[in-house]
Amino acid sequence: MLRQTPPTFHFHKVGDWQWVTDHRGYFWTLSRTHLYIALVAVLIGFLVALPLGVLAVRVPRTNPPILAVTTILYALPSLAVFAFLVGITGLTNNTVILPLAAYALAILVRSVTNGLNNVAEEVRISATAMGYGPLRRLVSVELPAAVPVIIAGLRVTTVASISLVTVGSLIGIGGLGQLFIAGENTDFITEILAGVVIVAFWAFLLDGLLLLSGRLLAPWARVSS
Amino acid sequence: MITFDHVSKRYDDGTLAVDDLSLECATGEITVLVGSSGCGKTTSLRMINRLVEPTSGTVSIDGTDVRSSDPARLRRMIGYVIQQGGLFPHRTVIENIATVPRLLGTPRPQARQRAQELMDLVGLPSSMAKRYPYQLSGGQQQRVGVARALAADPPLLLMDEPFSAVDPVVRKELQQELLNLQSQLGKTIVFVTHDIDEAVRLGDRIAVMQVGGKLVQFDTPERVLARPANAFVESFLGLDRGIKWLSFFPAKELPLRLPATIGPASGPVDVHRVAAAAASEWVLAVDGDRRPLGWLEAAALNGASSGTVDLGSLRSIGHAFSPATDSLRAALDALVLSPAGLAVGVDSGGALVGVANQDDINNAIQTAAADS
């Protein structure tokens, strides 16, 4: 397909700083939707991953099916899933949130199982020998000891999720991806660059916040998450 | 008292970990289960606090079958120390120690105060209270492990190779501290180790176990060393079994004689005179406080005849032993290391008490062996 865009139609030059400052409010609106979608997806993924990961460790025969199913979820191409979900959830944020939650789940289940399996055998045995019941041991000893590994998983999924929300813009769901689409359609590089920079900014910021919260939650961890 | 009555444990895969074990661990004593890996000693220990359930037979504490108690409640009454401490990595030293009191419902301030007392008891400075386990040395971690096990003042203490991951010097220190603690606290302790020296050092009684979970000998360490029940025990005790055994006999019965000595600023002439008078080849040089400095061989001084003896020509005494507190083992070792073939005994101030030769020590060993 040939696209003819005569140079005279260029209203903007590359790196139009004026345009950027004029659209701060718009960026903020897009950012809010973007972060809402990305973070709700991670939250849902985490809330499902936690019990599933615990189950996979506690009941060893549930481990292979849980890991297999979550791996398949991770292998689904996002655009195909969006297109499929539009038929069910319509053109809502949920259409993007659900597949992203599934991706987060796939990674976080592994973080939870790795985190729990990383707890030294001596720690588990001494907790039991001191009189912890199974549930109390999980809540007071094993999960806290697994925090650094779980936080590491949350960092990966949060950054991935923030980046993946942009794909949702291809089906018209809000978020900073809209800047890519609009910029592409009007051949306006500034708008695309603004989108990239803002997405990267949020990804860095949230990664940093998670890193910090990991340091606060697990000051004892020798290797930072 | 902990009683094992015909206890066996067979795992699902068919391995027999413990084979018909009957054993009584006396109240207030340290019972050591010793044997090579796979002999069922840890499995036996874990049947006491129900980390492992026996396939047959019963384990009872003061006559009550442990299976009649709720496992979690039972375990809070039994201290447990594991290799490398098994400390909770996410809790500080003081929180680790306060674990069992907190589980028992002691309010936090009291539990912490108790933990503080235990830090003192095991020799941890209170400045370490807020450290995390990874910030401690291996020896300190073990101390925390012991303090944590003692926090609720349980009458029983189970220790599973608690000192095997620390270096030999620290291990010896921790063993001595455990003995000191035990002399204050009088707990009933069951201690698992694969190290026969540790067993001999700590145990009031030792149970030697053989691969396949069989108890082959249960007796005081002294009698196990003197009369091993079979060839396995004998080889497990090693080729220095006789030497180890000597550590149970005090050296104070050993008759000591005064050697030929010279004081400070003596010359070769004095050495020859003293040596001739004592009809001895060797003369012990001592300082003004009669502390031994080293041996001189009279024959080696023939060339020189004037001036004072060169201290550089002294031969080291090896090490001295203390007749009041050491064992025949220390005396024998002093003999082996002495160039003069004489073990040098000193008092607590390091001053010469007397020496013993090989015949003296032999006779003492014979007498001790006959009496035991």
Side-chain angles (χ1 to χ4, degrees):
Chain A
M1 184 170 72
L2 258 176
R3 254 169 74 187
Q4 293 201 326
T5 24
T8 46
F9 285 0
H10 278 263
F11 292 102
H12 314 289
K13 54 186 189 296
V14 172
D16 188 340
W17 191 247
Q18 188 57 48
W19 182 87
V20 172
T21 48
D22 287 350
H23 288 78
R24 276 176 306 188
Y26 178 53
F27 296 153
W28 178 237
T29 311
L30 288 179
S31 289
R32 272 191 312 203
T33 314
H34 193 104
L35 292 178
Y36 171 80
I37 294 171
L39 297 183
V40 169
V42 173
L43 185 68
I44 294 172
F46 178 65
L47 291 179
V48 180
L50 194 60
L52 273 185
V54 168
L55 182 71
V57 171
R58 278 294 166 89
V59 188
R61 78 199 140 78
T62 63
N63 189 306
I66 287 175
L67 292 189
V69 169
T70 52
T71 303
I72 291 168
L73 284 179
Y74 196 63
L76 297 174
S78 54
L79 203 51
V81 180
F82 293 155
F84 171 75
L85 278 177
V86 167
I88 302 163
T89 51
L91 281 175
T92 62
N93 288 342
N94 293 346
T95 308
V96 180
I97 288 174
L98 284 176
L100 293 190
Y103 297 153
L105 168 70
I107 295 173
L108 289 173
V109 161
R110 279 164 178 74
S111 301
V112 174
T113 55
N114 289 344
L116 291 176
N117 286 330
N118 263 353
V119 178
E121 186 63 13
E122 291 85 35
V123 170
R124 228 188 297 276
I125 289 176
S126 64
T128 310
M130 278 188 288
Y132 278 96
L135 183 67
R136 206 161 171 186
R137 189 184 79 184
L138 177 75
V139 174
S140 324
V141 179
E142 290 172 283
L143 282 175
V147 160
V149 180
I150 295 174
I151 294 275
L154 278 172
R155 288 178 59 193
V156 172
T157 45
T158 303
V159 170
S161 191
I162 288 174
S163 155
L164 275 172
V165 171
T166 54
V167 182
S169 299
L170 287 174
I171 57 160
I173 304 298
L176 294 159
Q178 305 255 343
L179 297 173
F180 301 162
I181 308 280
E184 167 70 17
N185 287 343
T186 56
D187 253 351
F188 181 38
I189 302 287
T190 301
E191 193 166 1
I192 297 175
L193 281 178
V196 171
V197 169
I198 297 168
V199 168
F201 166 77
W202 288 121
F204 273 116
L205 183 72
L206 283 154
D207 189 50
L209 286 177
L210 281 167
L211 175 69
L212 198 67
S213 66
R215 293 260 166 87
L216 293 174
L217 277 172
W220 49 270
R222 262 172 294 182
V223 188
S224 65
S225 57
Chain B
M1 185 169 68
I2 301 166
T3 313
F4 287 81
D5 186 21
H6 296 287
V7 173
S8 294
K9 174 67 189 180
R10 189 181 285 281
Y11 283 107
D12 294 340
D13 63 2
T15 28
L16 191 59
V18 177
D19 185 6
D20 195 31
L21 174 67
S22 291
L23 185 71
E24 277 183 359
C25 310
T27 304
E29 282 194 357
I30 302 182
T31 303
V32 179
L33 308 181
V34 64
S36 37
S37 57
C39 71
K41 54 193 192 298
T42 293
T43 305
S44 302
L45 183 83
R46 289 184 177 172
M47 289 196 277
I48 299 170
N49 63 355
R50 297 189 64 188
L51 288 175
V52 173
E53 301 283 0
T55 314
S56 63
T58 53
V59 179
S60 48
I61 296 172
D62 296 330
T64 312
D65 186 344
V66 292
R67 274 173 296 183
S68 62
S69 317
D70 168 65
R73 275 174 204 284
L74 174 80
R75 289 170 190 150
R76 289 171 200 169
M77 297 299 140
I78 303 177
Y80 189 80
V81 189
I82 197 172
Q83 202 183 105
Q84 306 190 317
L87 300 181
F88 299 153
H90 61 293
R91 292 198 188 156
T92 59
V93 166
I94 198 139
E95 289 164 352
N96 262 288
I97 299 174
T99 300
V100 183
R102 293 288 293 140
L103 278 172
L104 288 166
T106 310
R108 190 180 296 267
Q110 281 92 318
R112 287 192 166 238
Q113 192 176 344
R114 172 74 184 147
Q116 193 66 62
E117 288 167 24
L118 280 149
M119 286 183 69
D120 291 344
L121 187 69
V122 301
L124 287 167
S126 51
S127 59
M128 287 192 175
K130 291 202 160 62
R131 296 215 189 148
Y132 286 99
Y134 83 91
Q135 296 168 306
L136 306 180
S137 70
Q140 290 163 346
Q141 291 188 15
Q142 283 309 332
R143 287 192 169 88
V144 177
V146 172
R148 184 173 67 170
L150 290 170
D153 201 19
L156 307 181
L157 195 56
L158 309 181
M159 308 183 85
D160 190 359
E161 307 225 11
F163 306 146
S164 60
V166 293
D167 70 66
V169 176
V170 176
R171 188 181 315 150
K172 210 155 185 192
E173 225 173 87
L174 290 170
Q175 288 167 349
Q176 190 52 51
E177 283 169 24
L178 177 66
L179 290 173
N180 297 346
L181 270 181
Q182 173 65 355
S183 65
Q184 294 172 49
L185 304 175
K187 302 282 180 195
T188 303
I189 299 178
V190 185
F191 191 106
V192 162
T193 181
H194 60 262
D195 175 357
I196 185 66
D197 291 309
E198 186 166 69
V200 167
R201 187 141 190 246
L202 297 178
D204 291 306
R205 274 166 205 281
I206 64 180
V208 186
M209 296 182 73
Q210 199 171 343
V211 174
K214 271 202 170 312
L215 174 66
V216 278
Q217 191 165 13
F218 181 48
D219 215 327
T220 61
E222 187 183 331
R223 280 201 288 265
V224 171
L225 286 167
R227 282 185 284 275
N230 63 14
F232 167 77
V233 180
E234 196 172 353
S235 76
F236 191 70
L237 292 167
L239 284 181
D240 57 348
R241 163 165 78 89
I243 309 285
K244 284 174 191 151
W245 180 56
L246 286 183
S247 58
F248 290 95
F249 302 107
K252 58 173 173 283
E253 305 297 326
L254 190 62
L256 297 177
R257 58 189 78 211
L258 278 176
T261 57
I262 54 158
S266 303
V269 180
D270 305 303
V271 176
H272 288 299
R273 183 176 44 77
V274 172
S280 156
E281 226 353 74
W282 292 89
V283 175
L284 185 64
V286 294
D287 69 8
D289 296 321
R290 292 194 56 78
R291 284 190 293 248
L293 297 171
W295 289 105
L296 283 166
E297 192 177 8
L301 294 172
N302 275 343
S305 57
S306 61
T308 55
V309 173
D310 173 19
L311 288 180
S313 65
L314 291 177
R315 303 272 306 274
S316 162
I317 64 161
H319 67 74
F321 71 101
S322 153
T325 54
D326 280 342
S327 66
L328 282 181
R329 180 178 179 166
L332 180 63
D333 200 63
L335 175 84
V336 171
L337 294 173
S338 168
L342 292 165
V344 179
V346 295
D347 63 19
S348 56
L352 176 69
V353 179
V355 297
N357 67 19
Q358 189 162 1
D359 287 338
D360 301 330
I361 292 176
N362 269 344
N363 290 336
I365 292 171
Q366 302 286 334
T367 313
D371 290 349
S372 76

